[in-house]
Amino acid sequence: MAQARRSAGSDLTGAPHDMTDLDTLKSSTLAAIAQAGDEAALEAVRVGALGKKGTISALLATLGKMSPDERKSAGAAINALKDEVGEALAGRRAVLKEAALNERLKAETVDVTLPLREAPAEAGRIHPISQVMDELTAIFADMGFSIAEGPDVETDDYNFTRLNFPLGHPAREMHDTFFFHPDENGERKLLRTHTSPVQVRTMLAKQPPIRVICPGRTYRNDSDQTHTPMFHQVEGLVIDKGATLGNLKWILEEFCKAFFEVKHVKMRFRPSFFPFTEPSAEVDIQCRRSGGEIRFGEGEDWLEILGCGMVHPNVLRLCGVDPDVYQGFAWGMGIDRIAMLKYGMPDLRPFFEADVRWLSHYGFRPLDLPTLAGGLSA
Ligand code: DAH
């Protein structure tokens, strides 16, 4: 560069160019081109030689002042120099471009053997309880049920009285209820001990026929391997003129087959007692327990999964339904229980410990929504 400038300087004096001058300029310019380490440096050489104020451009500008003879020989020589420098620039530019590209390729290599980082929607997991709620919603929605919900903080009236637990009835004591302090009117609210008060709310709000399920949180003062103070139930309620125990049996059997994803289930209805149903039953399903594993649709063991019965006429009356016109059936099932059974989880307590390692092991992929057509847990 510096050399090229200097020789340009001598030419700008207007002195006639001899071949030595041109040769010097040529060799210094070509040397500068060869030494240009990157495209920016090469561009500076180009501007210094061929730019508006460049050395070669300055030489070309002197042609006008020459005699025709001089111009003829000097013009050819200068233009040849210009062409040669142009070619050298193009050649060097190609080399530098390729070198720069190779440099980038080397710096930006991607190790295709590295594991992909999961997108957030892929990395998250659906809790087994949410999964099971989605599954049973899909099953009962397919049978024409809608979803009803109620608050976790309930009145004693809805949780007990209207469900035919008279005041002072011993069944109230069996529920290990969490009570709140009485309010200014002396009313003592509680954390609902079952999802059955949603039956009351539904009957008070809607005219029969009624066909609802009510999944939700429930609370009892109880804690061990299979009990936590907060747990989940799903209630079912059907009120119609001709609703029978036979309908109830069919619904529960269809539910169990769909939910446990088996072709056959054997179920056993054991007589039982609940204040809000008459007759009442507890339902067991047949299973085989072997080596810590449970299989349904085979085996000689029985496992209790729900309580059910025909809705007691007192309950219908207390909820504004005429028991001489309508009858119905209801059931209540522990969601945590059936989740543990279906997905082989031995302890209930980790469900509520929010341990990400447990969740990533037992959780479900967020975009795999359970449907009857596409498979519930596939
Ligand atoms: N509420 C009962 C419980 O938590 C379960 C239950 C039994 C619900 C029978 C019902 C029913 O609707 O008919 O133990």
Side-chain angles (χ1 to χ4, degrees), residues 22-35:
L22 281 186
D23 283 345
T24 316
L25 179 57
K26 176 173 147 183
S27 58
S28 66
T29 307
L30 292 181
I33 289 171
Q35 280 163 20

Side-chain angles (χ1 to χ4, degrees), residues 175 193-194 196 199 220 233 235-236 274 276-277 307-309 330-332:
H175 275 209
T193 58
H194 48 179
S196 304
Q199 287 189 30
R220 288 185 204 180
Q233 288 190 338
E235 195 82 9
F274 300 103
F276 35 90
T277 42
C308 64
W331 70 89

Side-chain angles (χ1 to χ4, degrees), residues 45 171 201 233 284 297:
V45 177
R201 292 176 172 274
Q233 288 190 338
D284 306 329

Side-chain angles (χ1 to χ4, degrees), residues 87-159:
E87 270 168 39
L89 281 169
R92 182 70 183 151
R93 187 172 298 121
V95 169
L96 289 176
K97 253 205 168 106
E98 179 158 337
L101 179 64
N102 286 337
E103 199 62 32
R104 251 188 85 185
L105 286 174
K106 219 194 292 169
E108 296 176 10
T109 41
V110 176
D111 183 350
V112 292
T113 64
L114 281 177
L116 279 182
R117 193 196 294 169
E118 281 183 311
E122 275 297 312
R125 283 294 174 267
I126 301 292
H127 195 284
I129 296 294
S130 307
Q131 166 77 15
V132 164
M133 286 208 188
D134 288 347
E135 292 181 15
L136 50 92
T137 303
I139 298 169
F140 284 114
D142 191 59
M143 293 191 211
F145 283 75
S146 40
I147 310 277
E149 285 183 312
D152 292 9
V153 176
E154 257 305 355
T155 63
D156 190 287
D157 186 35
Y158 285 6
N159 194 81

Side-chain angles (χ1 to χ4, degrees), residues 123 174 318 338:
M174 285 158 48
L318 289 165
I338 60 170

Side-chain angles (χ1 to χ4, degrees), residues 138-213:
I139 298 169
F140 284 114
D142 191 59
M143 293 191 211
F145 283 75
S146 40
I147 310 277
E149 285 183 312
D152 292 9
V153 176
E154 257 305 355
T155 63
D156 190 287
D157 186 35
Y158 285 6
N159 194 81
F160 290 125
T161 310
R162 286 190 207 235
L163 288 166
N164 199 33
F165 290 79
L167 276 172
H169 192 287
R172 286 183 182 234
E173 310 306 319
M174 285 158 48
H175 275 209
D176 298 312
T177 313
F178 287 113
F179 286 102
F180 289 86
H181 292 302
D183 63 15
E184 56 277 14
N185 307 318
E187 190 194 340
R188 213 168 45 147
K189 288 259 177 57
L190 48 80
L191 287 174
R192 65 181 180 191
T193 58
H194 48 179
T195 41
S196 304
V198 189
Q199 287 189 30
V200 177
R201 292 176 172 274
T202 307
M203 286 188 271
L204 289 174
K206 299 213 311 189
Q207 291 302 312
I210 290 171
R211 228 186 306 180
V212 291
I213 58 161

Side-chain angles (χ1 to χ4, degrees), residues 341-364:
L341 290 175
K342 180 167 179 180
Y343 292 113
M345 295 171 277
D347 191 339
L348 180 61
R349 288 164 297 194
F351 273 60
F352 310 116
E353 281 169 0
D355 184 335
V356 146
R357 294 163 302 179
W358 184 89
L359 189 59
S360 61
H361 180 75
Y362 285 112
F364 292 81

